[in-house]
Amino acid sequence: MTLLRWFGRKTFSHGVHPQAHKEDTADKPIRRLPFAPRMIVPLAQHLGKPSRATVKVGQEVVRGQPIAEADGFMSVPQHAPATGVVEAIRLMPSAQGPRVPAIVIRVYEASNQEVLWRTPRDMNALTPEQIIQAVQDTGLVGLGGAAFPSHVKLKVPSGAVIDTLIVNGCECEPYLTTDHRVMLEQGPDLIRGTQYAMRVVGARQAIIGVEDNKPDAIAAIRRHLPADGSIRVEAVETKYPQGAEKMLITSLLGREVPSGGLPAQIGVVVNNVGTLTALGRLLPRGEGLIERVITVAGPGVKKPGNYLVPIGTPLRFVLNHVGFSGSEQEVILGGPMMGNAVASLDVPITKGSSGVLVLSNSEIQAETRRIHPCIKCGKCVAACPMHLNPTQLGLLAAKREYDVMAERFHLKDCIECGCCSFVCPSSIPLVQYFRIAKSILRERAA
């Protein structure tokens, strides 16, 4: 147990305290965005193998209908986000940069866009294995941004015994308030999804961890907790990256995930609140994931808020609706700490899109600082929540010593939170260096 926990503060060591910037959207209820004239549904919206299209060009589809099937266990299906006709199946721009295969749907303007494809289930009659299959059929992935297939995360590795399900409600990235609004407005779905997940992994308890700057969300969840005490909500210190699963496990349970290991090795499974809320809503209805809540915020947005958006909605359509007429250089998908600048406004909102951050020209100029040589001040070492040595890793990255980074300095334990880059007085983009190094190592291993 860490010294910090001895003093009663549920937290982890190191980390940073960036300005929250959540005041513009935290009190705004979720609103539905209109349907765009065309939807772009990429076949690869998740970690793992892309799905396979099961429709043809010219085929009519209804909202909720499966249009692509999972290609193996590490894959999920895709569903039509709107009623319309398949206009094309071709390469389209992606948030990652390269064009990727996608199904383009021309939306019927006259349709009321009711969900017409569902297969209601009796959840009490399903075994854990059947629930895992049902989760895969929904096409659900981690909605916190990782886009890891949810059914894979719920499949407990052989030999592991899970005693605790941790539900991640921290949302520590500046600007983003998606999870905050979901906790306030969709408590019954969250508790239902948590109970389904507990059945699957065999956990005897669930702890919903929420940063202590969201007391209204903590109070809202407590109103829906079951009387048997199996699920509880606990406040943790507001600090970045409190929402990283390894950090949250340490804060709530005082357990450390071993280097290179998984939470299941210490009896824990972690899921995001948005993911479990979707699970609680979609599973009994037998529906697929076709929409999600995103935060649209930043000084470049006239109507910031939390919007329920059909997956596949082009980013340009979203920005036009909220009042923005700038360029790609000003838009980030996700939060400012872990998000990425978009290469094109024609990319769609996908299952992993938790937010859209729009910066103004002055904000960009403030962030685009000149890079100076490392002065070995050690601030990055003091900030790294994984207790790595970003200074040394950065020097090795500059020399392309990627193998040394992995073998001697535990590069693979880096969670890419960006704390090192945030505190660096020389403006060295350390986390970008580490992402490149990890990508190259993955290519070499393939």
Side-chain angles (χ1 to χ4, degrees):
M1 185 175 287
T2 66
L3 189 62
L4 291 166
R5 287 177 57 79
W6 275 110
F7 285 99
R9 198 77 188 269
K10 293 183 181 300
T11 189
F12 60 93
S13 60
H14 295 192
V16 296
H17 294 85
Q19 193 171 348
H21 293 295
K22 295 176 185 280
E23 60 278 1
D24 287 343
T25 59
D27 62 347
K28 288 187 169 59
I30 298 168
R31 291 173 287 172
R32 180 177 289 281
L33 205 71
F35 286 79
R38 281 180 175 74
M39 299 289 180
I40 303 166
V41 184
L43 297 178
Q45 299 188 52
H46 52 272
L47 295 181
K49 202 170 182 182
S51 45
R52 293 186 301 233
T54 54
V55 292
K56 297 179 180 178
V57 174
Q59 180 176 339
E60 291 188 326
V61 295
V62 297
R63 188 162 187 245
Q65 177 181 342
I67 56 176
E69 63 185 5
D71 190 3
F73 184 66
M74 191 67 180
S75 181
V76 297
Q78 313 296 336
H79 300 77
T83 295
V85 61
V86 177
E87 188 176 79
I89 302 175
R90 62 168 184 255
L91 296 178
M92 297 294 290
S94 73
Q96 293 73 32
R99 290 176 173 261
V100 297
I103 298 171
V104 182
I105 298 174
R106 176 161 54 82
V107 178
Y108 287 160
E109 294 183 9
S111 170
N112 62 10
Q113 296 302 345
E114 180 185 356
V115 177
L116 297 174
W117 195 288
R118 59 166 63 95
T119 309
R121 299 184 179 93
D122 177 5
M123 293 300 299
N124 293 324
L126 299 186
T127 64
E129 290 73 22
Q130 289 171 324
I131 294 177
I132 288 178
Q133 181 60 58
V135 174
Q136 184 177 20
D137 291 343
T138 65
L140 189 61
V141 303
L143 300 184
F148 192 86
S150 298
H151 67 283
V152 179
K153 201 160 191 176
L154 293 174
K155 180 70 174 177
V156 178
S158 177
V161 177
I162 304 300
D163 58 67
T164 304
L165 172 72
I166 287 182
V167 185
N168 186 350
C170 288
E171 195 164 39
C172 55
E173 271 267 13
Y175 288 100
L176 303 186
T177 56
T178 298
D179 290 345
H180 188 178
R181 293 309 311 181
V182 166
M183 288 186 283
L184 283 172
E185 300 180 36
Q186 301 175 6
D189 286 339
L190 170 60
I191 299 303
R192 195 181 307 116
T194 299
Q195 290 171 324
Y196 294 154
M198 290 174 70
R199 277 176 58 194
V200 173
V201 303
R204 56 180 168 77
Q205 67 168 351
I207 307 173
I208 303 173
V210 183
E211 282 186 307
D212 55 14
N213 64 347
K214 306 177 186 68
D216 53 349
I218 293 171
I221 293 171
R222 282 182 174 151
R223 288 196 286 271
H224 301 290
L225 293 177
D228 63 7
S230 58
I231 304 174
R232 67 180 190 272
V233 57
E234 291 194 11
V236 294
E237 183 189 3
T238 299
K239 182 168 67 169
Y240 183 86
Q242 188 66 266
E245 67 176 17
K246 291 181 180 179
M247 304 302 101
L248 190 55
I249 292 171
T250 298
S251 296
L252 290 171
L253 298 174
R255 303 179 193 174
E256 302 280 349
V257 179
S259 176
L262 298 171
Q265 293 173 243
I266 55 172
V268 181
V269 167
V270 183
N271 269 271
N272 163 266
V273 289
T275 308
L276 291 187
T277 302
L279 200 71
R281 182 175 60 254
L282 297 176
L283 278 184
R285 297 180 184 180
E287 295 179 1
L289 182 69
I290 56 174
E291 59 190 8
R292 65 155 300 155
V293 181
I294 64 169
T295 300
V296 187
V301 177
K302 294 180 181 175
K303 294 185 288 185
N306 291 288
Y307 295 92
L308 183 60
V309 181
I311 289 166
T313 303
L315 185 53
R316 190 184 303 279
F317 182 88
V318 175
L319 294 175
N320 286 341
H321 185 79
V322 301
F324 167 75
S325 57
S327 65
E328 294 88 347
Q329 289 76 25
E330 299 164 332
V331 180
I332 294 172
L333 271 180
M337 300 296 285
M338 296 189 71
N340 293 304
V342 299
S344 165
L345 295 184
D346 295 321
V347 304
I349 297 298
T350 61
K351 297 176 181 179
S353 305
S354 55
V356 179
L357 174 60
V358 182
L359 301 176
S360 63
N361 285 330
S362 59
E363 291 276 341
I364 293 171
Q365 289 169 3
E367 294 297 328
T368 312
R369 296 172 294 179
R370 185 176 178 182
I371 300 173
H372 297 280
C374 174
I375 59 174
K376 297 183 174 59
C377 63
K379 288 187 176 181
C380 57
V381 177
C384 178
M386 294 304 295
H387 293 216
L388 303 178
N389 187 336
T391 299
Q392 190 62 44
L393 284 166
L395 294 173
L396 290 168
K399 297 177 182 176
R400 301 184 181 181
E401 298 278 0
Y402 303 131
D403 291 324
V404 178
M405 293 171 70
E407 293 166 6
R408 294 178 52 191
F409 293 91
H410 307 285
L411 173 67
K412 292 180 180 176
D413 285 339
C414 171
I415 58 173
E416 303 179 21
C417 62
C419 286
C420 51
S421 300
F422 177 78
V423 299
C424 179
S426 295
S427 303
I428 300 172
L430 290 164
V431 70
Q432 283 80 4
Y433 290 172
F434 305 156
R435 287 173 182 163
I436 292 170
K438 292 165 81 172
S439 175
I440 290 173
L441 288 173
R442 281 195 296 268
E443 288 179 6
R444 287 179 182 174

